[in-house]
Every structure is written in structure tokens, then in C-alpha cells.
Amino acid sequence: MSKELIRLRDLCMAFDDEPVLNNVNLYINDKEFLTLLGPSGCGKTTTLRIIGGFTTPTSGDVLFDGVRINDVPPHQRQINTVFQKYALFPHLNVFENIAFGLRMQRRADPADPTGKKKVKIPEKEIHDRVMEMLEIISLKGFENRKPDALSGGQQQRVAIARALVNRPKVLLLDEPLGALDLKLRKDMQIELKRIQQQVGITFIYVTHDQEEALTMSDTIVVMDKGSIQQIGTPEDIYNEPKNAFVADFIGESNIIDGIMVHDKCVKMYGREFPCLDSGFEENEPVDVVIRPEDIDIVPVEQGQLVGTVTNVTFKGMQYDIIVDFKGFKWLIQTTDHSPVGARIGIKIDPDGIHVMKKSAYSGMFGDYSSFSEEYDELDDASIELDEEESWDEE
Amino acid sequence: MKRSNSLLSRVFMALVFVFLYAPIVLLIIFSFNAGNSNTVWQGFSLEWYEKLFRDRLIMQSVYTTLLISLLSTIIATVAGTFAAIGFYSMRRRIRDPLMTVNNIPMMNADIVTGVSLCLFFVAFFNFWGDFAVWFNSLQGVIQLPTRLTMGFGTLLIAHVCFNIPYVILSVGPKLRQMDKNLVDAAQDLGCTWMQAFWKVIIPEIKPGIISGALTAFTMSIDDFVISYFTAGSSASTLAMTIYGMTKKRVSPEINAVSTLLFVTVLVLLAIVNIREARQERRNAHRLHA
């Protein structure tokens, strides 16, 4: 797409001897929308704070445009941040909040030929640039309001303007939509993507909301327990998850123990299924991912597998049904209603099957026996408090 | 049953207030008495107030009190604010025990604080005397005074000591209310830590600093016990002068000066309380918005 802008090399971080990041290696391209995605405590916010310069890594390097910037303080980096809960200055009005960074800047005096003399940015230019930002975030006429007189969504946009007005090369966003309600969050997702394309700079976005990540990102970095699990485009991550953790975290998945009989043939429940995967050893134990929407319900006699419906939930566009196959419960999304207790057959097309190598996460996810609780967790997009609190201990 | 109960509690309330405030009301009334008596009303006059303002001893101690209160408030406010910021950035394991230590001087009996400071000063002066003799014998360029005594300096140090905890206690909550990303945000936008401190932290905790300073000033102005033990013989605060006057003769002048002190402290306390109430209302409003 374009050239590399930031590289993280063997980044490790520990608070009080407790490892938070383990050997994170990552490069970020110019003008890219990259999302760090993972559950709370996975190290995504720490990674962001290291890029911003608020936290110094225990070991490893941060390179910006090929230059090591580990020891460069935040105010000297060409990076600006939109903080969780915005961190607007309560004692300043909207105009002064946005103008804050510009008022701090000193640049070479154009009237001084040696270029050594530093001058403030003229008031006229500050005014024009702030007004231009207010235009971009559609908050013209709000410049004299104090932050507490704005709604959450408006404060959010002021925080973005306050960062962007400095024309940084990179904008870091730490769960910026966490405090907004669902409807506003959806609008702001589109708005953020539009702003990113309009200003044409790199966005590094931190979230635990997989849907948000899929909607906005060019690249998603899935993290857990301080390590990167997978890097890829939203399509890659969804269609070709690398391990059970990624498959479970992104979208809904049934993850079943299987054996790769030979290329393009996997065995589950003692039955062989044709698939598209290859490159495994013969008879290698594997994890098989089947997305709930890739399963067709067919009459019992035509089914590759036969199971019993144990739970049906109406979701508007589809039914979420839980089907018991020999004690392992699957989630199936279908537009056809099947009553609880019914015996049904299922059929899976070869492209609906994704085979993964066994990993440390094998056997931890993908069973829908505790269906209802798991569903609640996934819908819960509240702000992550535990990760935030861990900063106290720095 | 309920009525008689409430009547009883009202009588009780009234009694409490009478015992609490009758002496003060009496004192204020008799400060305007025309005669020399503290028991018989002889008509309204301002003669005791006039006398007061012509009394060199009293005016001198008013001056000392104001100077000590002002200086100790300024020093304690600066030191206390920085201390509160230090506490704020500490880990909880270390901060909590230190905060308890900070609170002890406020709970501690004044007389204990006073006596211990007095003992400390005396011990220090003894040590200083030995040190100065040794130092002076070593060279002839700088001659250090060998005999230090308690006075304005020790009084000021004592007041700074007991004022600092009040400042820490009123600045601390403001820091904890502050969004902890604010400093990061300021640094992100081009501030050094020091600039972030002046441009963001100070404006955010200003209400706490002002209430802390007002509380410290009030405490300083009406302190007697600690001053008594640390002022030595050369300095005297207003409270000490009043105490001295009661020993010699009971003059209605005392009523006048006490009335003025009472009104000053009352006004200061009212300002502190009104500010706090207004802050709370603003915070509540912020939460609703």
C-alpha cells in the first residue's frame, strides 16, 4: 500500500515483574488504519502508550521513520492521541482546547534567515486552523462552550480535532467510542473512517469490540496475554483465523476437534468432510472452525451430522439455535425455525470449513454449552476498567 | 407521643445552643458596654474599640498574627500542594500509610504538638550553639551566632508545620477527581511536564488549593496553644496577648478584641463553607450533564 512508518521490534513490557507484553513485533504503514484488538488486559493499551511515549518499554525498540524513538518524550513525537474518556481540559472552552497544541508549538521564524529564532504560531493562523477543524468535526458555533456543556459524542469529536489540528503523522485512539451508546458508536465509526480518509494520516486504534475493528480497519492486530495472535485484513482474520482464540474472539465460531486425514479432507465425529485446507501432515490433530452462518439445515437422512435442537433464540434477522451433536453444542444461525427437541441434519460446504493447527488455546473455546452467558459477554461493550486500573500500579 | 418527643428535643436543642453561644453573645454585647463592668450594662459605646486601636501592644500582636498567618499560609500552600501531588503519584501501598501520618497532627492535641515542637527547637538550638562555636573557632571570616532563641522564626516554622496537613487534605481529593489522562494529553500536545503542571494541573486543582489556603489561614489566626509554646518571649500573637491580658486585669478591651477575632474567623469559615457547597453543586451538575 505504502511505506513503513512505525516498527515495533521485540517489544517487552512488565509492571512489577508481571509481564504485560511479550516480544511484540509489528510494522505499521503510512496512511494505514490499524486496529489493536483484544480482551482487557491483553496489552493493547500498553502498546499504544509505548508508541505515544507515555510508557517506556522494558526492552525492545520503537522506530519511527527508521529512527529509534524510545527516549523521545511525548511532546517531541509527531504523534497525537485521543484518550479514553477524551481528557478534554475542563477549564478551557472548545476553541482553546483545540488551539492548545498550536499555542504550545514553536517554529522557525520566517523573517530570520538563519532559521534559529523560534516564534509562536500567529493568532490569525491558529484561529483559521481551529475553525477548519471545527468544520471537519461539524461543531461550528460551539467554540465558546465548556466541555461539560457538550454531549459525549461532541466531546469525542473535540478530542479528535484537538489531536488532528497539530497535523500529526499518526493519530492514536484509545477506545475512543467506549463511552458512547450503540447508535452513536455506529455513526462515529463511519465518521472516524471518513476523517481518516480526509486527512490521510495513519490511525492506530485500540478496541476490544471486534465489530468496530472489522468495520473500520485496513489491518487488524489481534492480541491476547501480551502477545500478537494474528495480523491481517479484516477478511483474513474472520475467514482464516490462526488459532482458537482468534476464531472465538472475532465473530461466532464452533471449534471442533478434528483429524486432518489428508489434504482437503478432515475427519470430525468419525466422519470425513471435504474441505479446502492443505499443508498439514497426514492424520495431524487439528482445530476445525465452522462459522454458524455456514451451516445448512437439511432433513435428517441427508445430513452429514445429525443432532438435537436444545435452544432457539429469535434475533430478528435470523434464529440462533443451539444444536447438540454427541454432547458438543454448536451454534447455528438460520432463517428457518426449528423447534426445541427436533432432530435435524446439517450439511457444511467445503468452503465453510476452516482448519487450524492445534495451539495453546485448543479446547478452550468454541463449545456453546454455556451459550447464554457467553453471548452477554460479547454484547457488553462497556469501558474496560481493569486495564485502566493497572496503570495505577506503574 | 411524637409531639412531646419533638418538644423535648427542641428544648434540648435550645439548651445546647444557649450553652454554646450565650457566652459569645454576652462577650459581644459587653464589648459595646460604656462602663468598666462585665456584668452591668451601662449603655452603648465604642470606647473599648477605640482604646483597642490605640493600644500599641495589641496592635503589635495583631500585626504579628497577620504576618505569621499570611507567611505560613503561603509557605504551607506551596509545600502542601507539591506534597499532595507527590502523594497522588505514589503507589497506594506507600501512599495510604503516609496519608495517615499526615493526618496525625490534625487529630493530635495542640498541646502535644506545641510542647514537642518547643523541645525540638531547644534541642536544635543546643546543637547549633556547639556547632557555631566549633565553626567560628575554625576560621575568622564568617561568625555564626552562637545563641539562638525562639521568636518569630520558630513561630513561623510551627505554623507552617501544622498548616501543611490541611492543604494536603484539601488538594488531594481534587487531584483524585482529575482525569488522570489530562497530564498525558497536555504532554501529547507539546507540553513538557512542567508546562503541563502549570497549564493543566494547577487550573484543575485551584479550588482545592484556595480552600486549603483559607483553612490554613483560619487555623493560623486563631491558634493559641502551639504559638504559646513556640513563640518564646520576643514574639506574641493576638491570642497570646489576650491570654496575657486576662492574667493582669479583666478589661472590657478583651471583649472588643475577642469579638473582632471571632468575627474574622467566622467570616473566613463562612467563605470556606460556601466555596465547598458551590463546588459540590457544580460537581453534581457535571455528573448529570
Side-chain angles (χ1 to χ4, degrees):
Chain A
M1 180 161 93
S2 55
K3 71 181 181 73
E4 174 186 314
L5 188 64
I6 294 178
R7 179 174 282 270
L8 307 180
R9 202 157 53 197
D10 301 329
L11 218 53
C12 290
M13 183 74 207
F15 294 134
D16 291 335
D17 295 330
E18 203 169 300
V20 182
L21 291 180
N22 308 314
N23 274 306
V24 169
N25 280 288
L26 177 67
Y27 68 89
I28 299 159
N29 284 327
D30 198 15
K31 300 186 174 49
E32 184 176 23
F33 196 123
L34 179 130
T35 300
L36 299 171
L37 173 67
S40 56
C42 74
K44 57 191 191 297
T45 299
T46 307
T47 309
L48 195 80
R49 288 176 64 82
I50 288 173
I51 298 173
F54 306 111
T55 304
T56 314
T58 317
S59 66
D61 294 323
V62 184
L63 304 178
F64 188 91
D65 246 347
V67 182
R68 187 174 177 276
I69 57 163
N70 282 33
D71 307 313
V72 178
H75 66 270
Q76 284 168 12
R77 298 190 182 194
Q78 288 172 295
I79 297 172
N80 284 114
T81 310
V82 176
F83 291 89
Q84 220 171 31
K85 288 181 267 160
Y86 329 130
L88 296 177
F89 304 126
H91 63 287
L92 299 177
N93 64 23
V94 169
F95 184 95
E96 286 304 323
N97 259 288
I98 299 176
F100 192 94
L102 296 177
R103 293 203 193 286
M104 294 310 302
Q105 267 180 45
R106 300 290 179 272
R107 61 183 179 198
D109 187 352
D112 180 28
T114 63
K116 275 183 193 146
K117 217 175 128 207
K118 300 280 184 197
V119 289
K120 290 182 177 184
I121 297 178
E123 199 55 39
K124 169 90 173 59
E125 187 186 333
I126 291 180
H127 183 266
D128 292 349
R129 279 169 72 174
V130 171
M131 285 305 171
E132 180 197 3
M133 280 323 297
L134 282 167
E135 183 102 47
I136 289 179
I137 59 166
S138 350
L139 276 182
K140 266 212 155 151
F142 286 72
E143 49 268 29
N144 292 323
R145 295 253 198 122
K146 284 281 176 71
D148 23 337
L150 299 177
S151 71
Q154 290 166 339
Q155 290 185 32
Q156 168 65 70
R157 282 182 278 164
V158 174
I160 293 167
R162 184 180 68 173
L164 285 178
V165 76
N166 304 295
R167 299 180 183 156
K169 285 206 170 155
V170 179
L171 187 68
L172 308 179
L173 302 104
D174 184 7
E175 303 249 3
L177 308 184
L180 304 181
D181 61 51
L182 187 68
K183 175 84 175 65
L184 205 53
R185 208 152 68 216
K186 302 245 177 207
D187 293 346
M188 279 306 292
Q189 287 173 11
I190 297 162
E191 181 81 3
L192 268 176
K193 187 76 191 164
R194 179 187 68 76
I195 291 173
Q196 192 247 346
Q197 278 157 355
Q198 189 176 345
V199 294
I201 61 167
T202 309
F203 274 35
I204 304 177
Y205 192 95
V206 159
T207 184
H208 67 284
D209 183 333
Q210 42 109 0
E211 193 220 311
E212 214 165 274
L214 294 173
T215 312
M216 292 188 288
S217 319
D218 298 318
T219 306
I220 295 177
V221 178
V222 184
M223 295 182 72
D224 186 48
K225 298 198 180 108
S227 301
I228 292 178
Q229 302 296 330
Q230 187 169 359
I231 304 175
T233 64
E235 289 85 355
D236 284 347
I237 301 261
Y238 189 83
N239 294 329
E240 310 280 328
K242 264 204 182 127
N243 61 34
F245 174 82
V246 178
D248 181 75
F249 197 77
I250 316 289
E252 297 289 328
S253 6
N254 302 293
I255 305 171
I256 300 110
D257 278 331
I259 289 172
M260 204 64 188
V261 182
H262 50 76
D263 278 356
K264 305 195 175 175
C265 177
V266 65
K267 196 160 151 189
M268 293 180 282
Y269 292 95
R271 210 198 136 108
E272 291 185 1
F273 288 77
C275 63
L276 304 175
D277 301 80
S278 55
F280 294 86
E281 287 178 32
E282 276 191 18
N283 292 321
E284 184 182 338
V286 289
D287 285 334
V288 183
V289 179
I290 298 159
R291 295 288 185 188
E293 68 272 19
D294 291 336
I295 301 167
D296 294 326
I297 294 180
V298 293
V300 173
E301 56 279 10
Q302 293 168 25
Q304 289 169 305
L305 287 172
V306 175
T308 314
V309 178
T310 62
N311 193 317
V312 180
T313 316
F314 179 59
K315 286 280 171 180
M317 257 175 61
Q318 87 274 356
Y319 293 98
D320 278 5
I321 67 174
I322 303 293
V323 184
D324 189 329
F325 294 102
K326 298 182 183 165
F328 195 91
K329 294 195 175 160
W330 292 36
L331 170 68
I332 299 175
Q333 288 171 343
T334 170
T335 49
D336 304 321
H337 179 75
S338 307
V340 173
R343 298 276 294 163
I344 56 164
I346 56 157
K347 201 170 155 312
I348 308 152
D349 288 337
D351 65 358
I353 293 176
H354 171 64
V355 181
M356 308 180 299
K357 286 208 182 277
K358 285 277 179 191
S359 69
Y361 294 103
S362 296
M364 288 167 64
F365 304 107
D367 177 17
Y368 282 87
S369 299
S370 52
F371 171 67
S372 55
E373 293 154 44
E374 191 166 350
Y375 225 71
D376 285 345
E377 261 170 32
L378 286 167
D379 276 341
D380 181 19
S382 60
I383 311 162
E384 292 165 69
L385 284 167
D386 36 1
E387 186 161 15
E388 220 182 310
E389 259 154 22
S390 71
W391 299 356
D392 271 351
E393 303 300 322
E394 270 176 52
Chain B
M1 186 66 200
K2 200 161 183 264
R3 272 191 71 87
S4 75
N5 210 345
S6 87
L7 186 73
L8 208 70
S9 66
R10 270 182 214 177
V11 170
F12 182 70
M13 268 287 271
L15 274 174
V16 167
F17 276 109
V18 165
F19 275 104
L20 271 178
Y21 291 107
I24 298 172
V25 172
L26 215 63
L27 178 122
I28 294 173
I29 291 171
F30 277 97
S31 74
F32 296 105
N33 195 1
N36 227 334
S37 169
N38 264 328
T39 43
V40 188
W41 182 252
Q42 288 161 309
F44 180 86
S45 109
L46 288 174
E47 69 166 294
W48 299 115
Y49 286 90
E50 267 179 62
K51 273 210 171 128
L52 188 71
F53 285 107
R54 265 186 273 116
D55 189 324
R56 296 252 327 260
L57 188 69
I58 289 180
M59 289 326 283
Q60 176 63 38
S61 52
V62 165
Y63 172 74
T64 307
T65 304
L66 287 178
L67 196 62
I68 286 281
S69 303
L70 212 64
L71 283 177
S72 69
T73 299
I74 292 168
I75 298 169
T77 303
V78 173
T81 303
F82 279 103
I85 291 169
F87 279 141
Y88 171 68
S89 44
M90 274 173 192
R91 293 169 191 210
R92 192 164 295 151
R93 278 191 297 271
I94 304 168
R95 181 176 60 203
D96 287 352
L98 275 177
M99 275 310 282
T100 313
V101 172
N102 175 60
N103 291 344
I104 289 173
M106 286 183 291
M107 321 284 205
N108 199 5
D110 277 2
I111 191 139
V112 178
T113 310
V115 170
S116 52
L117 276 168
C118 174
L119 289 177
F120 171 76
F121 289 136
V122 170
F124 175 76
F125 291 159
N126 281 338
F127 163 79
W128 175 264
D130 295 345
F131 171 77
V133 168
W134 171 77
F135 187 81
N136 290 345
S137 71
L138 228 59
Q139 41 82 50
V141 188
I142 308 161
Q143 287 296 306
L144 293 176
T146 53
R147 236 182 73 81
L148 293 179
T149 51
M150 291 201 281
F152 189 86
T154 49
L155 192 59
L156 181 61
I157 293 171
H159 277 238
V160 169
C161 281
F162 73 73
N163 278 340
I164 285 178
Y166 292 100
V167 178
I168 294 179
L169 209 66
S170 82
V171 174
K174 283 277 156 239
L175 281 166
R176 261 169 276 133
Q177 278 168 24
M178 189 176 79
D179 181 345
K180 58 178 168 264
N181 281 333
L182 282 185
V183 180
D184 284 345
Q187 285 181 278
D188 186 72
L189 294 167
C191 287
T192 60
W193 194 90
M194 230 22 210
Q195 286 171 318
F197 173 76
W198 287 112
K199 284 179 184 290
V200 177
I201 300 184
I202 290 291
E204 271 300 286
I205 61 174
K206 205 165 68 189
I209 296 176
I210 294 173
S211 346
L214 281 170
T215 315
F217 190 75
T218 314
M219 291 295 153
S220 226
I221 257 194
D222 78 345
D223 172 73
F224 168 69
V225 179
I226 297 171
S227 305
Y228 188 76
F229 281 98
T230 53
S233 52
S234 59
S236 176
T237 66
L238 188 56
M240 287 164 67
T241 306
I242 294 173
Y243 177 71
M245 283 161 69
T246 58
K247 278 207 256 180
K248 276 177 268 169
R249 62 201 157 89
V250 183
S251 151
E253 224 178 310
I254 295 173
N255 296 343
V257 70
S258 304
T259 301
L260 288 181
L261 191 57
F262 172 76
V263 171
T264 311
V265 171
L266 195 71
V267 167
L268 283 172
L269 280 178
I271 294 173
V272 171
N273 283 326
I274 290 169
R275 282 179 54 86
E276 266 163 23
R278 203 180 291 164
Q279 275 296 318
E280 250 159 55
R281 221 176 307 142
R282 199 171 303 158
N283 283 349
H285 174 77
R286 213 182 259 191
L287 279 180
H288 284 297

mmCIF file with all atom_site columns, all heavy atoms in Angstrom, chain B residues 30-43:
data_model
loop_
_atom_site.group_PDB
_atom_site.id
_atom_site.type_symbol
_atom_site.label_atom_id
_atom_site.label_alt_id
_atom_site.label_comp_id
_atom_site.label_asym_id
_atom_site.label_entity_id
_atom_site.label_seq_id
_atom_site.pdbx_PDB_ins_code
_atom_site.Cartn_x
_atom_site.Cartn_y
_atom_site.Cartn_z
_atom_site.occupancy
_atom_site.B_iso_or_equiv
_atom_site.pdbx_formal_charge
_atom_site.auth_seq_id
_atom_site.auth_comp_id
_atom_site.auth_asym_id
_atom_site.auth_atom_id
_atom_site.pdbx_PDB_model_num
ATOM 1   N N   . PHE B 1 30 ? -21.077 42.927 75.727 1.00 0.00 ? 30 PHE B N   1
ATOM 2   C CA  . PHE B 1 30 ? -20.329 43.740 76.687 1.00 0.00 ? 30 PHE B CA  1
ATOM 3   C C   . PHE B 1 30 ? -19.123 44.436 76.074 1.00 0.00 ? 30 PHE B C   1
ATOM 4   O O   . PHE B 1 30 ? -18.549 45.332 76.682 1.00 0.00 ? 30 PHE B O   1
ATOM 5   C CB  . PHE B 1 30 ? -19.953 42.911 77.927 1.00 0.00 ? 30 PHE B CB  1
ATOM 6   C CG  . PHE B 1 30 ? -21.074 42.841 78.911 1.00 0.00 ? 30 PHE B CG  1
ATOM 7   C CD1 . PHE B 1 30 ? -21.934 41.753 78.946 1.00 0.00 ? 30 PHE B CD1 1
ATOM 8   C CD2 . PHE B 1 30 ? -21.307 43.914 79.777 1.00 0.00 ? 30 PHE B CD2 1
ATOM 9   C CE1 . PHE B 1 30 ? -22.991 41.715 79.823 1.00 0.00 ? 30 PHE B CE1 1
ATOM 10  C CE2 . PHE B 1 30 ? -22.366 43.872 80.663 1.00 0.00 ? 30 PHE B CE2 1
ATOM 11  C CZ  . PHE B 1 30 ? -23.226 42.771 80.691 1.00 0.00 ? 30 PHE B CZ  1
ATOM 12  N N   . SER B 1 31 ? -18.758 44.014 74.855 1.00 0.00 ? 31 SER B N   1
ATOM 13  C CA  . SER B 1 31 ? -17.681 44.749 74.201 1.00 0.00 ? 31 SER B CA  1
ATOM 14  C C   . SER B 1 31 ? -18.152 46.149 73.808 1.00 0.00 ? 31 SER B C   1
ATOM 15  O O   . SER B 1 31 ? -17.354 47.040 73.557 1.00 0.00 ? 31 SER B O   1
ATOM 16  C CB  . SER B 1 31 ? -17.186 43.992 72.969 1.00 0.00 ? 31 SER B CB  1
ATOM 17  O OG  . SER B 1 31 ? -18.117 44.084 71.915 1.00 0.00 ? 31 SER B OG  1
ATOM 18  N N   . PHE B 1 32 ? -19.499 46.327 73.767 1.00 0.00 ? 32 PHE B N   1
ATOM 19  C CA  . PHE B 1 32 ? -20.055 47.652 73.441 1.00 0.00 ? 32 PHE B CA  1
ATOM 20  C C   . PHE B 1 32 ? -20.534 48.377 74.696 1.00 0.00 ? 32 PHE B C   1
ATOM 21  O O   . PHE B 1 32 ? -21.213 49.386 74.620 1.00 0.00 ? 32 PHE B O   1
ATOM 22  C CB  . PHE B 1 32 ? -21.224 47.511 72.463 1.00 0.00 ? 32 PHE B CB  1
ATOM 23  C CG  . PHE B 1 32 ? -20.805 46.958 71.123 1.00 0.00 ? 32 PHE B CG  1
ATOM 24  C CD1 . PHE B 1 32 ? -21.084 45.642 70.768 1.00 0.00 ? 32 PHE B CD1 1
ATOM 25  C CD2 . PHE B 1 32 ? -20.121 47.770 70.220 1.00 0.00 ? 32 PHE B CD2 1
ATOM 26  C CE1 . PHE B 1 32 ? -20.692 45.136 69.550 1.00 0.00 ? 32 PHE B CE1 1
ATOM 27  C CE2 . PHE B 1 32 ? -19.732 47.269 68.991 1.00 0.00 ? 32 PHE B CE2 1
ATOM 28  C CZ  . PHE B 1 32 ? -20.011 45.949 68.651 1.00 0.00 ? 32 PHE B CZ  1
ATOM 29  N N   . ASN B 1 33 ? -20.204 47.842 75.883 1.00 0.00 ? 33 ASN B N   1
ATOM 30  C CA  . ASN B 1 33 ? -20.664 48.455 77.135 1.00 0.00 ? 33 ASN B CA  1
ATOM 31  C C   . ASN B 1 33 ? -19.887 49.748 77.414 1.00 0.00 ? 33 ASN B C   1
ATOM 32  O O   . ASN B 1 33 ? -18.683 49.832 77.152 1.00 0.00 ? 33 ASN B O   1
ATOM 33  C CB  . ASN B 1 33 ? -20.460 47.450 78.281 1.00 0.00 ? 33 ASN B CB  1
ATOM 34  C CG  . ASN B 1 33 ? -21.243 47.852 79.517 1.00 0.00 ? 33 ASN B CG  1
ATOM 35  O OD1 . ASN B 1 33 ? -21.946 48.870 79.498 1.00 0.00 ? 33 ASN B OD1 1
ATOM 36  N ND2 . ASN B 1 33 ? -21.113 47.068 80.575 1.00 0.00 ? 33 ASN B ND2 1
ATOM 37  N N   . ALA B 1 34 ? -20.613 50.739 77.951 1.00 0.00 ? 34 ALA B N   1
ATOM 38  C CA  . ALA B 1 34 ? -19.982 52.033 78.204 1.00 0.00 ? 34 ALA B CA  1
ATOM 39  C C   . ALA B 1 34 ? -19.092 52.006 79.440 1.00 0.00 ? 34 ALA B C   1
ATOM 40  O O   . ALA B 1 34 ? -18.076 52.678 79.516 1.00 0.00 ? 34 ALA B O   1
ATOM 41  C CB  . ALA B 1 34 ? -21.041 53.117 78.340 1.00 0.00 ? 34 ALA B CB  1
ATOM 42  N N   . GLY B 1 35 ? -19.452 51.191 80.445 1.00 0.00 ? 35 GLY B N   1
ATOM 43  C CA  . GLY B 1 35 ? -18.716 51.221 81.699 1.00 0.00 ? 35 GLY B CA  1
ATOM 44  C C   . GLY B 1 35 ? -17.586 50.217 81.748 1.00 0.00 ? 35 GLY B C   1
ATOM 45  O O   . GLY B 1 35 ? -17.250 49.566 80.762 1.00 0.00 ? 35 GLY B O   1
ATOM 46  N N   . ASN B 1 36 ? -17.010 50.077 82.908 1.00 0.00 ? 36 ASN B N   1
ATOM 47  C CA  . ASN B 1 36 ? -15.891 49.192 83.134 1.00 0.00 ? 36 ASN B CA  1
ATOM 48  C C   . ASN B 1 36 ? -16.347 47.779 83.470 1.00 0.00 ? 36 ASN B C   1
ATOM 49  O O   . ASN B 1 36 ? -15.550 46.863 83.541 1.00 0.00 ? 36 ASN B O   1
ATOM 50  C CB  . ASN B 1 36 ? -15.057 49.742 84.301 1.00 0.00 ? 36 ASN B CB  1
ATOM 51  C CG  . ASN B 1 36 ? -13.586 49.729 83.940 1.00 0.00 ? 36 ASN B CG  1
ATOM 52  O OD1 . ASN B 1 36 ? -13.172 48.921 83.116 1.00 0.00 ? 36 ASN B OD1 1
ATOM 53  N ND2 . ASN B 1 36 ? -12.818 50.602 84.549 1.00 0.00 ? 36 ASN B ND2 1
ATOM 54  N N   . SER B 1 37 ? -17.664 47.643 83.701 1.00 0.00 ? 37 SER B N   1
ATOM 55  C CA  . SER B 1 37 ? -18.175 46.382 84.237 1.00 0.00 ? 37 SER B CA  1
ATOM 56  C C   . SER B 1 37 ? -18.377 45.338 83.146 1.00 0.00 ? 37 SER B C   1
ATOM 57  O O   . SER B 1 37 ? -18.662 45.659 82.004 1.00 0.00 ? 37 SER B O   1
ATOM 58  C CB  . SER B 1 37 ? -19.498 46.650 84.950 1.00 0.00 ? 37 SER B CB  1
ATOM 59  O OG  . SER B 1 37 ? -20.124 45.441 85.240 1.00 0.00 ? 37 SER B OG  1
ATOM 60  N N   . ASN B 1 38 ? -18.232 44.077 83.550 1.00 0.00 ? 38 ASN B N   1
ATOM 61  C CA  . ASN B 1 38 ? -18.515 42.970 82.652 1.00 0.00 ? 38 ASN B CA  1
ATOM 62  C C   . ASN B 1 38 ? -19.846 42.323 82.998 1.00 0.00 ? 38 ASN B C   1
ATOM 63  O O   . ASN B 1 38 ? -20.205 41.290 82.441 1.00 0.00 ? 38 ASN B O   1
ATOM 64  C CB  . ASN B 1 38 ? -17.412 41.914 82.752 1.00 0.00 ? 38 ASN B CB  1
ATOM 65  C CG  . ASN B 1 38 ? -16.381 42.123 81.649 1.00 0.00 ? 38 ASN B CG  1
ATOM 66  O OD1 . ASN B 1 38 ? -16.736 42.575 80.568 1.00 0.00 ? 38 ASN B OD1 1
ATOM 67  N ND2 . ASN B 1 38 ? -15.146 41.803 81.952 1.00 0.00 ? 38 ASN B ND2 1
ATOM 68  N N   . THR B 1 39 ? -20.562 42.904 83.945 1.00 0.00 ? 39 THR B N   1
ATOM 69  C CA  . THR B 1 39 ? -21.811 42.296 84.394 1.00 0.00 ? 39 THR B CA  1
ATOM 70  C C   . THR B 1 39 ? -22.995 43.256 84.293 1.00 0.00 ? 39 THR B C   1
ATOM 71  O O   . THR B 1 39 ? -24.124 42.812 84.117 1.00 0.00 ? 39 THR B O   1
ATOM 72  C CB  . THR B 1 39 ? -21.688 41.824 85.855 1.00 0.00 ? 39 THR B CB  1
ATOM 73  O OG1 . THR B 1 39 ? -21.015 42.848 86.603 1.00 0.00 ? 39 THR B OG1 1
ATOM 74  C CG2 . THR B 1 39 ? -20.915 40.523 85.941 1.00 0.00 ? 39 THR B CG2 1
ATOM 75  N N   . VAL B 1 40 ? -22.755 44.583 84.423 1.00 0.00 ? 40 VAL B N   1
ATOM 76  C CA  . VAL B 1 40 ? -23.856 45.548 84.413 1.00 0.00 ? 40 VAL B CA  1
ATOM 77  C C   . VAL B 1 40 ? -23.801 46.384 83.140 1.00 0.00 ? 40 VAL B C   1
ATOM 78  O O   . VAL B 1 40 ? -22.758 46.934 82.779 1.00 0.00 ? 40 VAL B O   1
ATOM 79  C CB  . VAL B 1 40 ? -23.769 46.497 85.649 1.00 0.00 ? 40 VAL B CB  1
ATOM 80  C CG1 . VAL B 1 40 ? -25.025 47.366 85.734 1.00 0.00 ? 40 VAL B CG1 1
ATOM 81  C CG2 . VAL B 1 40 ? -23.577 45.688 86.919 1.00 0.00 ? 40 VAL B CG2 1
ATOM 82  N N   . TRP B 1 41 ? -24.909 46.421 82.452 1.00 0.00 ? 41 TRP B N   1
ATOM 83  C CA  . TRP B 1 41 ? -24.987 47.192 81.201 1.00 0.00 ? 41 TRP B CA  1
ATOM 84  C C   . TRP B 1 41 ? -25.088 48.668 81.522 1.00 0.00 ? 41 TRP B C   1
ATOM 85  O O   . TRP B 1 41 ? -25.989 49.089 82.232 1.00 0.00 ? 41 TRP B O   1
ATOM 86  C CB  . TRP B 1 41 ? -26.195 46.729 80.394 1.00 0.00 ? 41 TRP B CB  1
ATOM 87  C CG  . TRP B 1 41 ? -26.325 47.442 79.079 1.00 0.00 ? 41 TRP B CG  1
ATOM 88  C CD1 . TRP B 1 41 ? -27.267 48.377 78.763 1.00 0.00 ? 41 TRP B CD1 1
ATOM 89  C CD2 . TRP B 1 41 ? -25.493 47.313 77.943 1.00 0.00 ? 41 TRP B CD2 1
ATOM 90  N NE1 . TRP B 1 41 ? -27.095 48.828 77.496 1.00 0.00 ? 41 TRP B NE1 1
ATOM 91  C CE2 . TRP B 1 41 ? -25.986 48.191 76.957 1.00 0.00 ? 41 TRP B CE2 1
ATOM 92  C CE3 . TRP B 1 41 ? -24.360 46.551 77.651 1.00 0.00 ? 41 TRP B CE3 1
ATOM 93  C CZ2 . TRP B 1 41 ? -25.410 48.323 75.701 1.00 0.00 ? 41 TRP B CZ2 1
ATOM 94  C CZ3 . TRP B 1 41 ? -23.800 46.691 76.396 1.00 0.00 ? 41 TRP B CZ3 1
ATOM 95  C CH2 . TRP B 1 41 ? -24.311 47.555 75.430 1.00 0.00 ? 41 TRP B CH2 1
ATOM 96  N N   . GLN B 1 42 ? -24.177 49.458 80.998 1.00 0.00 ? 42 GLN B N   1
ATOM 97  C CA  . GLN B 1 42 ? -24.177 50.883 81.329 1.00 0.00 ? 42 GLN B CA  1
ATOM 98  C C   . GLN B 1 42 ? -24.338 51.757 80.096 1.00 0.00 ? 42 GLN B C   1
ATOM 99  O O   . GLN B 1 42 ? -23.966 52.916 80.107 1.00 0.00 ? 42 GLN B O   1
ATOM 100 C CB  . GLN B 1 42 ? -22.870 51.239 82.067 1.00 0.00 ? 42 GLN B CB  1
ATOM 101 C CG  . GLN B 1 42 ? -22.835 50.694 83.492 1.00 0.00 ? 42 GLN B CG  1
ATOM 102 C CD  . GLN B 1 42 ? -21.420 50.631 84.061 1.00 0.00 ? 42 GLN B CD  1
ATOM 103 O OE1 . GLN B 1 42 ? -20.522 50.086 83.437 1.00 0.00 ? 42 GLN B OE1 1
ATOM 104 N NE2 . GLN B 1 42 ? -21.232 51.200 85.246 1.00 0.00 ? 42 GLN B NE2 1
ATOM 105 N N   . GLY B 1 43 ? -24.865 51.194 79.052 1.00 0.00 ? 43 GLY B N   1
ATOM 106 C CA  . GLY B 1 43 ? -25.095 51.985 77.844 1.00 0.00 ? 43 GLY B CA  1
ATOM 107 C C   . GLY B 1 43 ? -24.117 51.653 76.734 1.00 0.00 ? 43 GLY B C   1
ATOM 108 O O   . GLY B 1 43 ? -23.025 51.130 76.988 1.00 0.00 ? 43 GLY B O   1
#
